[in-house]
Amino acid sequence: MIIDIGLAFLEGLALIVSPCILPVLPLVLAASVEGGRRRPYGIIIGFVLAFSLFALVSRQIVQALGVDLDIIKNASLVLLALFGLVLLSSKLSDKFSSLTQGAANFGNQLASRGGEGLLSGVMIGSLIGLVWTPCAGPILAAVLVQVIRQQTGLAGNLIIVSFAIGAGVPMLIIALTGRKVMKKLGFLSRHAEAVRRGFGVLILLSVAYIASGVDAQSLLTTRSTKAQQPAGDLVLREGLSTPYAAPEFAGIEAWLNENPLTMQDLKGKVVLIDFWTYSCINCVRTLPYITDWDSKYRDQGLVIVGVHSPEFEFEKKLDNVKAAIAQYGIRYPVALDNNLSTWVNFNNRYWPAHYLIDREGKVVYTHFGEGQYNVTENNIRYLLGLKTGGEPVEAEAPAGNPDQTPETYLGYARADSFGGDEPVVHDAERAYRFPDELAEDEWALNGKWRVDSQKITAVGKGAALRLDFNARKVFLVLGTSTGKPIRVSIRLNGEAVGPNAGKDAPGGVVTIERNTLYELVDQKTPQNGLLEILSDSPGLEAYAFTFG
């Protein structure tokens, strides 16, 4: 987000040499000179407000349509790269400008409208801004993409503000200082092509940085190689060499087991933030340890906050999260971060993720994924000022299996390894047939299914799903679209699953009553298998396989 904000500011400055803005600037100046002293401010305010309104409406339309944010983020990088290439090419830039020059010409006519005060200036600036917005070229288009791709409204608004400052400040200076500055723009006009290309390179470099997934914060907050100041017989293990102030909770839709909390409320406490979602098997496997710490250390000053950050739409439903909290015996506060606002504040990227915060409100230790329970508990005790390591629950190390099948999504937005003979049809019903054979880690469908971005849904009775896998355990996120229980039969290697049935599939049958994670197979040792899932009625939803 910081990269986007900085880039938006620079792109705002770059508009001063845009082929579309240059003819508007003299008109802004003329309208400013003709009016009163406050009119220039009004023109710039109106101009910026018009763009901001356009950007906000664009973002709201995307959110109202329910477009998956992962799709937006990936598509936006492609668009940003295309806009960068347009800026590098004089031919493409001229083509883009010619397509929108009509709007610019109409905007030019508006600058001579009457009125002398601040309000008239706002009206003129708004009219110019609204018709100018579509013709501002790939620079403005790139900013709009950056606004839309942000995961939170706050982030999108910051992009708008940053761009508005970059665009508004030089225009305001021009409006206030008169034709002297306009004469000096001749230099920029003569070098506009070089400036434009420079911003094209900047945009492409930014795309490469964002796509690389490099975490700037992780480069600054490396782990300490030395033990820190001891408390009793304990030391902080694998702590951050540069602790930082804990980010605030943001955008929480509901709090469970507790009234709303802030980081200020928690000062003086040792706090463990656990980012989780209830259908994530890795998260579920950490819960026995976290609930144990809550039981042992709550009265000694530890506050655990589970930030529930959903991966799938059904995980946003309050009743589903309440059921999971009851199922896993969670008594500590749980915050519903349905829009991933707190996730973004923490710059988090993983499920599960643990952030340990000291009594001063600083993050001093982080761990991502499963494991290291002994280290985390040691650090909890250290921060609480306890003198010994206590008796931590021993971690059950997962069986090593380098050939284990990776997490496999079924919705088309993230699906891969589809082994069927027919192409998958998006957002529509289609009859499929199993192929004669599947390669390892591939999956296929039989019968009538609908494939959506996040899930697949059985449309007819007898619809089946087949997977070739290598693992000990197979988990699948399942649900029902009808609201009625659905009976699902499990077969392994063409036979009844028998003693290899998972805990949720006794006798090889699973009854799907709600959207959650189900354990279908437990082979006791990792090995290859061919899993087949058969639904006895329409409405079965399947989201993603995970393995253990």
Side-chain angles (χ1 to χ4, degrees), residues 438-474:
L438 283 174
E440 187 170 323
D441 300 340
E442 286 188 342
W443 60 279
L445 301 172
N446 198 64
K448 192 172 264 191
W449 290 85
R450 177 186 171 93
V451 180
D452 293 304
S453 63
Q454 287 195 346
K455 64 185 177 182
I456 60 175
T457 305
V459 177
K461 180 179 179 180
L465 167 64
R466 187 177 284 175
L467 170 74
D468 189 292
F469 71 95
N470 189 326
R472 171 188 165 183
K473 292 185 177 184
V474 180

Side-chain angles (χ1 to χ4, degrees), residues 99-181:
L99 292 175
T100 54
Q101 191 60 43
N105 293 336
F106 179 60
N108 294 348
Q109 300 172 14
L110 299 173
S112 59
R113 298 289 174 88
E116 297 186 352
L118 179 69
L119 183 59
S120 69
V122 171
M123 293 177 64
I124 293 171
S126 298
L127 289 170
I128 294 173
L130 282 174
V131 296
W132 168 83
T133 292
C135 80
I139 291 179
L140 181 57
V143 174
L144 289 174
V145 169
Q146 288 167 251
V147 171
I148 293 171
R149 71 187 289 269
Q150 299 306 312
Q151 290 179 309
T152 68
L154 174 62
N157 292 339
L158 288 175
I159 298 293
I160 294 172
V161 170
S162 181
F163 175 83
I165 292 173
V169 167
M171 290 180 66
L172 180 61
I173 293 173
I174 289 168
L176 292 175
T177 57
R179 298 187 180 276
K180 281 185 186 177
V181 174

Side-chain angles (χ1 to χ4, degrees), residues 512-527:
I512 310 301
E513 296 182 316
R514 66 187 181 95
N515 294 69
T516 191
L517 184 75
Y518 294 86
E519 182 185 300
L520 305 182
V521 173
D522 183 356
Q523 301 188 104
K524 312 306 184 283
T525 59
Q527 55 187 298

Side-chain angles (χ1 to χ4, degrees), residues 52-320:
S52 300
L53 178 64
F54 186 85
L56 288 172
V57 169
S58 301
R59 177 177 173 80
Q60 291 302 316
I61 290 174
V62 169
Q63 291 180 333
L65 292 175
V67 181
D68 187 272
L69 284 177
D70 286 330
I71 297 176
I72 290 293
K73 287 188 292 184
N74 295 332
S76 69
L77 290 179
V78 175
L79 287 174
L80 284 173
L82 290 175
F83 294 140
L85 292 174
V86 169
L87 288 171
L88 286 176
S89 168
S90 298
K91 186 175 181 180
L92 291 177
S93 294
D94 292 342
K95 183 69 174 176
F96 198 105
S97 296
S98 66
L99 292 175
T100 54
Q101 191 60 43
N105 293 336
F106 179 60
N108 294 348
Q109 300 172 14
L110 299 173
S112 59
R113 298 289 174 88
E116 297 186 352
L118 179 69
L119 183 59
S120 69
V122 171
M123 293 177 64
I124 293 171
S126 298
L127 289 170
I128 294 173
L130 282 174
V131 296
W132 168 83
T133 292
C135 80
I139 291 179
L140 181 57
V143 174
L144 289 174
V145 169
Q146 288 167 251
V147 171
I148 293 171
R149 71 187 289 269
Q150 299 306 312
Q151 290 179 309
T152 68
L154 174 62
N157 292 339
L158 288 175
I159 298 293
I160 294 172
V161 170
S162 181
F163 175 83
I165 292 173
V169 167
M171 290 180 66
L172 180 61
I173 293 173
I174 289 168
L176 292 175
T177 57
R179 298 187 180 276
K180 281 185 186 177
V181 174
M182 290 301 300
K183 291 179 182 178
K184 294 182 180 179
L185 283 177
F187 172 82
L188 293 176
S189 300
R190 290 191 298 273
H191 297 82
E193 184 174 345
V195 174
R196 187 195 67 238
R197 289 180 175 177
F199 276 93
V201 172
L202 180 63
I203 288 176
L204 291 175
L205 290 174
S206 300
V207 168
Y209 174 83
I210 296 168
S212 71
V214 175
D215 181 0
Q217 179 173 309
S218 67
L219 299 177
L220 299 175
T221 56
T222 55
R223 295 192 180 277
S224 172
T225 57
K226 298 181 180 180
Q228 300 185 18
Q229 181 66 33
D233 298 328
L234 300 178
V235 295
L236 184 66
R237 297 170 57 187
E238 300 184 25
L240 299 180
S241 61
T242 310
Y244 58 92
E248 189 56 80
F249 302 110
I252 302 302
E253 290 199 4
W255 285 87
L256 302 175
N257 295 340
E258 182 60 87
N259 293 324
L261 294 171
T262 66
M263 284 299 170
Q264 187 61 40
D265 296 334
L266 295 171
K267 282 285 183 70
K269 300 283 188 179
V270 174
V271 181
L272 176 66
I273 303 294
D274 171 35
F275 283 95
W276 71 297
T277 188
Y278 79 81
S279 73
C280 159
I281 184 58
N282 308 95
C283 301
V284 169
R285 285 196 284 245
T286 66
L287 292 178
Y289 304 95
I290 298 173
T291 53
D292 178 65
W293 297 333
D294 178 55
S295 175
K296 289 194 291 191
Y297 303 121
R298 177 187 291 226
D299 293 339
Q300 301 186 58
L302 175 68
V303 176
I304 298 176
V305 179
V307 178
H308 189 270
S309 303
E311 182 175 15
F312 301 114
E313 281 299 313
F314 66 82
E315 293 172 312
K316 296 180 179 180
K317 295 182 179 179
L318 181 63
D319 288 342
N320 288 350

